[in-house]
Amino acid sequence: MSVQERKARERTVRERLIVATARELAEQQGWDAVTTRRLAERIEYSQPVLYSHFRGKREIIGAVALEGAAEMAVAVRAATAAANSPRERVAALARAYLDFAERNPAVYDALFRLDGGLAYAQEDTPVPLKDAFAALMESLGEVAGDGVHPGLFTEVFWASLHGLATLTRAGRLLPEDAAQRVELLVDRLAVV
């Protein structure tokens, strides 16, 4: 292995460590606790080393969001793959999405609440974000209904899921009604 290859590999390892540490700290204490100083202390590198990978917290949030988008796409596809009908796929998608949001609140915030400097719904949208949306549309497109653009339907369904995830996390919705909400959403929005 050449010196250049070794340095590139070490750089990738450091970047992964920074992102994993930021994510862990955010999940434990919230995003306000994630500072470059704390990250540098936790990973035992100087702040200049950290800044050689990311210009600041915003880019770190973006890196966590991209990682989370990839994980969400995998979770949604795994959940929908086992379903036998369009309705089951949509219900499985909804449960997987809401479960992901509940289990990964800091990642969910990085994806949808915080500014990570990422472009959404544009030409230059990063591939992991496009793929997460595609994972939703794979199941939702087939239940959009006649004359309804699958992408538009996916946006509306996704917005509904996001609202449920956000309101549930904020304690604004009764947790015992979660399953009924999913059923209502699937029954009323999806044409199956």
Side-chain angles (χ1 to χ4, degrees):
M1 174 183 306
S2 73
V3 172
Q4 266 187 319
E5 290 171 329
R6 182 183 53 78
K7 285 185 178 189
R9 188 184 75 224
E10 289 171 356
R11 181 172 178 76
T12 300
V13 168
R14 273 194 312 271
E15 270 186 27
R16 286 183 185 146
L17 178 61
I18 293 166
V19 172
T21 304
R23 183 175 173 164
E24 179 183 311
L25 187 57
E27 292 291 0
Q28 292 170 352
Q29 300 176 30
W31 278 104
D32 288 341
V34 179
T35 64
T36 53
R37 178 175 292 172
R38 274 198 177 158
L39 286 174
E41 288 171 4
R42 283 206 176 191
I43 64 173
E44 299 178 344
Y45 284 105
S46 67
Q47 283 183 305
V49 169
L50 196 125
Y51 282 116
S52 74
H53 292 275
F54 299 99
R55 285 182 282 191
K57 183 176 176 176
R58 181 179 186 221
E59 284 189 6
I60 294 169
I61 290 169
V64 170
L66 293 176
E67 188 176 271
E71 291 171 10
M72 181 186 293
V74 167
V76 165
R77 286 186 174 115
T80 58
N84 295 319
S85 69
R87 187 194 187 291
E88 285 179 22
R89 275 189 289 285
V90 173
L93 175 151
R95 286 189 298 272
Y97 182 97
L98 295 171
D99 183 55
F100 181 88
E102 181 182 349
R103 285 184 298 106
N104 304 284
V107 173
Y108 193 82
D109 285 348
L111 270 164
F112 302 120
R113 193 179 68 80
L114 302 173
D115 178 10
L118 303 172
Y120 286 78
Q122 296 175 22
E123 278 296 313
D124 60 342
T125 297
V127 170
L129 297 177
K130 287 180 179 180
D131 189 52
F133 187 79
L136 297 175
M137 196 162 66
E138 287 163 11
S139 294
L140 294 171
E142 67 182 328
V143 297
D146 292 337
V148 178
H149 187 281
L152 184 61
F153 179 77
T154 301
E155 289 173 348
V156 171
F157 200 91
W158 168 33
S160 299
L161 289 174
H162 177 69
L164 289 175
T166 303
L167 292 169
T168 299
R169 184 166 154 204
R172 304 294 198 275
L173 300 175
L174 295 172
E176 60 267 19
D177 294 335
Q180 288 177 299
R181 283 188 205 94
V182 168
E183 293 302 313
L184 182 61
L185 183 61
V186 171
D187 288 342
R188 300 295 179 182
L189 283 184
V191 178
V192 287

